[in-house]
Amino acid sequence: MRGVILLFLAFTFSHAESFITKEEYAAGLYHNPRGVGCHLCHGEKGEGKLIARYRDKGENKIFAGKPIHKLSFREFYDKVNSRIIGMPRYYLTDTEIQTLYYYLHREEFKSAAQKPRKAQ
């Protein structure tokens, strides 16, 4: 009986689908990587976002999240892993960084995947 149960569980788990899609995981990570979502400072599509206007020594200033949607993967990776004033330190894994980059460029990835390959 134990063997039948183990065989059933192995079969069930080998054919189980993920709980969430790649897009859902990427969106969740972008909106809450470690408590403070990227969208709060960088905008919903990574276009950048005004965070605050303030006066310092009589001068008008702004604090804004920079656009991140047009960065190359290397630039994106380096910026996420560097200490930037005003940006929380997330200590993301390489897979999480790749997933965030995918989130910002998902439409490009999808359209590239749909293009027919050139015959060689």
Side-chain angles (χ1 to χ4, degrees), residues 28-43:
L29 192 60
Y30 188 76
H31 289 94
N32 191 7
R34 301 280 191 273
V36 178
C38 307
H39 69 292
L40 296 173
C41 298
H42 298 288

Side-chain angles (χ1 to χ4, degrees), residues 8 27 30 40 49 62 74 76 83 85 97 105 109:
F8 175 74
Y30 188 76
L40 296 173
K49 186 174 177 182
I62 63 167
R74 174 52 52 200
F76 183 78
R83 187 68 187 121
I85 295 173
I97 294 170
H105 298 273
F109 281 105

Side-chain angles (χ1 to χ4, degrees), residues 85-112:
I85 295 173
M87 184 165 157
R89 193 65 198 233
Y90 291 111
Y91 301 102
L92 299 170
T93 66
D94 288 350
T95 301
E96 289 172 324
I97 294 170
Q98 291 168 359
T99 302
L100 288 171
Y101 189 80
Y102 168 79
Y103 179 78
L104 294 170
H105 298 273
R106 61 195 179 279
E107 295 306 320
E108 296 166 42
F109 281 105
K110 287 177 187 175
S111 67

Side-chain angles (χ1 to χ4, degrees), residues 31-93:
H31 289 94
N32 191 7
R34 301 280 191 273
V36 178
C38 307
H39 69 292
L40 296 173
C41 298
H42 298 288
E44 191 58 42
K45 297 179 182 176
E47 70 278 8
K49 186 174 177 182
L50 175 68
I51 300 167
R53 295 179 191 275
Y54 63 98
R55 290 183 64 79
D56 181 35
K57 299 177 185 170
E59 187 178 331
N60 290 330
K61 295 193 175 189
I62 63 167
F63 183 65
K66 299 199 184 283
I68 57 173
H69 65 301
K70 292 186 179 179
L71 296 175
S72 69
F73 178 73
R74 174 52 52 200
E75 292 172 304
F76 183 78
Y77 184 89
D78 289 344
K79 298 233 185 245
V80 169
N81 284 311
S82 63
R83 187 68 187 121
I84 299 172
I85 295 173
M87 184 165 157
R89 193 65 198 233
Y90 291 111
Y91 301 102
L92 299 170
T93 66

